[in-house]
Amino acid sequence: QVQLVESGGGLVQPGGSLRLSCAASGSIFSRSVMGWYRQAPGKQRELVAQITRGGITNYADSVKGRFTISRDNAKNTVYLLMNSLKLEDTAVYYCNLHNINADYWGQGTQVAVSS
């Protein structure tokens, strides 16, 4: 089975940057659509960004122009570079792997934006 492990979260001031990483086990990473989701306290989990195996990206309107998703298939890793962070970006960020057969989720990494 696939395992996803997120890292890179932490505390950052408004306007700062963080880069999240998600390392995947298994052999299906390069054949899968990868995504980052987040869940803030008291809110539903929402899509932040996704990237296809061919490199096509999609972003939530709230993060367009600030966040960049990328992937390294050789390392089985997907990244989320978050710039110009806002208080509203505070959430637990989850890595998602989607392929034709199943979806897999990481345990999440906390991002706290605070002054």
Side-chain angles (χ1 to χ4, degrees), residues 48-102:
V48 176
Q50 63 185 175
I51 183 168
T52 71
R53 59 185 181 180
I56 300 173
T57 58
N58 185 52
Y59 298 92
D61 289 341
S62 60
V63 307
K64 285 181 179 178
R66 300 188 298 121
F67 291 10
T68 303
I69 188 171
S70 60
R71 66 192 295 163
D72 186 335
N73 290 335
K75 297 180 179 179
N76 279 12
T77 301
V78 63
Y79 305 94
L80 184 68
L81 176 61
M82 304 182 293
N83 293 322
S84 301
L85 283 161
K86 304 176 180 179
L87 297 178
E88 308 94 275
D89 296 319
T90 296
V92 177
Y93 284 70
Y94 297 90
C95 181
N96 168 259
L97 182 154
H98 172 77
N99 75 353
I100 194 169
N101 297 314

